[in-house]
Amino acid sequence: MDGSTTQTTSYSYRVSKSLFDDRFKIVVGGNYTTDANNDENFSQNLINDIAFEYVLNKSGSMTLKIFRHTGYESILEGEVTQTGVGLTYKKRLSTLGQLFWFMRARYRKQMRMFEEQRKAQLEKDAAEHLTSE
């Protein structure tokens, strides 16, 4: 140890651009560190994140996203690159119960089918009972 100190400054950025009446969006992000040389900054940090988003319908509730994210996770994992595709559906809810509407509809449908099957079975049993007499 020679007793000297060094100062490092890191900058992060995120830039986005919307095209085609806000239906297509490009998002680019990255880092720049003052203690790294220019080649290292350019190759490793300058563009860490890139994403393309496309709105699938006019209301904007469905979005398709293609992304690539590079980041340092932990000492054990090191640098991890995530690449993927995502489909997003957005809907404004006034109550939390509206989030589970499909479960109630499916339950009602199953109960209706069960009742119809039970009624059909009762009618069949009654018809068999009448024919056996």
Side-chain angles (χ1 to χ4, degrees):
M1 298 202 172
D2 60 359
S4 64
T5 61
T6 60
Q7 185 174 2
T8 302
T9 305
S10 295
Y11 302 98
S12 297
Y13 72 93
R14 186 175 174 122
V15 179
S16 67
K17 175 67 178 169
S18 294
L19 305 165
F20 309 117
D21 277 337
D22 293 336
R23 287 195 64 135
F24 186 73
K25 185 164 125 178
I26 302 170
V27 182
V28 178
N31 302 317
Y32 183 82
T33 307
T34 58
D35 70 339
N37 63 31
N38 288 340
D39 291 335
E40 186 178 344
N41 266 325
F42 185 74
S43 65
Q44 293 182 2
N45 300 325
L46 195 58
I47 299 177
N48 283 347
D49 300 319
I50 188 162
F52 302 100
E53 297 177 14
Y54 182 71
V55 178
L56 297 173
N57 57 0
K58 290 183 180 182
S59 66
S61 62
M62 293 185 67
T63 306
L64 179 70
K65 181 177 183 179
I66 301 170
F67 65 91
R68 181 179 185 274
H69 169 73
T70 304
Y72 189 77
E73 295 296 322
S74 67
I75 294 173
L76 296 175
E77 294 181 31
E79 188 173 88
V80 175
T81 300
Q82 299 171 331
T83 306
V85 176
L87 183 63
T88 306
Y89 178 73
K90 299 177 190 175
K91 183 175 180 179
R92 185 172 298 275
L93 304 173
S94 58
T95 64
L96 186 60
Q98 289 177 333
L99 184 62
F100 302 104
W101 67 269
F102 65 92
M103 294 174 80
R104 285 194 304 265
R106 185 174 13 174
Y107 175 75
R108 284 187 203 129
K109 183 178 178 183
Q110 287 175 345
M111 290 305 291
R112 228 183 345 250
M113 286 176 53
F114 175 73
E115 287 296 323
E116 289 172 3
Q117 288 173 352
R118 194 176 72 125
K119 185 178 177 183
Q121 185 64 40
L122 287 173
E123 290 173 357
K124 181 180 173 187
D125 290 346
E128 287 177 359
H129 181 64
L130 288 175
T131 57
S132 66
E133 291 181 352

